[in-house]
Amino acid sequence: SIGYKNSNVKGTGSPRIMLNLDDTADTAASIYIHNTAGTATEANKPPVRLLHDNASGILRVMNGFVGLAYEGDEVSTIGEVHVGPNANAKLDLTKGVTVTTVTVSAGTCNLSAGATTVRVSSGTLNKFGSGAITTLDVDGGTVDIRGTGTIGTANLDGGTTYFSSTGTITTLTVNGNAVADFTQFADTRTVTNLSVYEGFTLLLDRQVVTLTNGIDFHRCGVEDGTLQLGKDYTVSLSNI
């Protein structure tokens, strides 16, 4: 283990760097990954594998491929992770990770744990497993939600979000320029509260997606967006 306050990993050298970062500093640490080797010694593993144990720590993967708590039953705790701005940045967060905030501005983040807040402005976020997300904010890029994890609030302002998880979404808002696509898998799922705004795209089959409280059209109508609901259903209208 390494006691540290701020750590930087640079260059494209060793195909296997494994660090147990034991934060004994009085203030939270920041870890910066500027680059890594292109491939690891072991196939399909990240060249840089980390452990971390501070709930206020920050990990920034600007380029290269990094894994946190990647091996076996490893666990790690961290406050914030940031992926980007390079399109080749990649971070794997396994089910053993406890993380508060995940931010993706470029590259790819594979999230197999839950998180309090997930923000995506560009790049790709792939969500797996049973971990819950409290708040999901998508301004751009591609988000693929799989597994069984629930989502408290999802705010879509851009990009494309594929909802394939069987976990319930409590509140979903689809604004203009955003795409919410539930058609990739036929697993049953539930959206409790759903709101759309002008320019929305909402794709689902209501035979497998339950809309508990219907769809609220805010300052727009069906004709002001793209709506796919499947076939054989009745529409009942009421005021918001």
Side-chain angles (χ1 to χ4, degrees), residues 193-215:
N193 304 297
L194 175 56
S195 297
V196 298
Y197 289 79
E198 183 178 1
F200 71 90
T201 297
L202 175 62
L203 309 176
L204 60 84
D205 182 349
R206 43 80 46 198
Q207 293 185 355
V208 296
V209 180
T210 298
L211 305 177
T212 305
N213 296 317
I215 305 173

Side-chain angles (χ1 to χ4, degrees), residues 99-102 114-118 132-136 153:
V99 59
T100 303
T101 302
V102 177
T116 303
T117 303
V118 175
I133 295 175
T134 304
T135 302
L136 172 66
T153 300

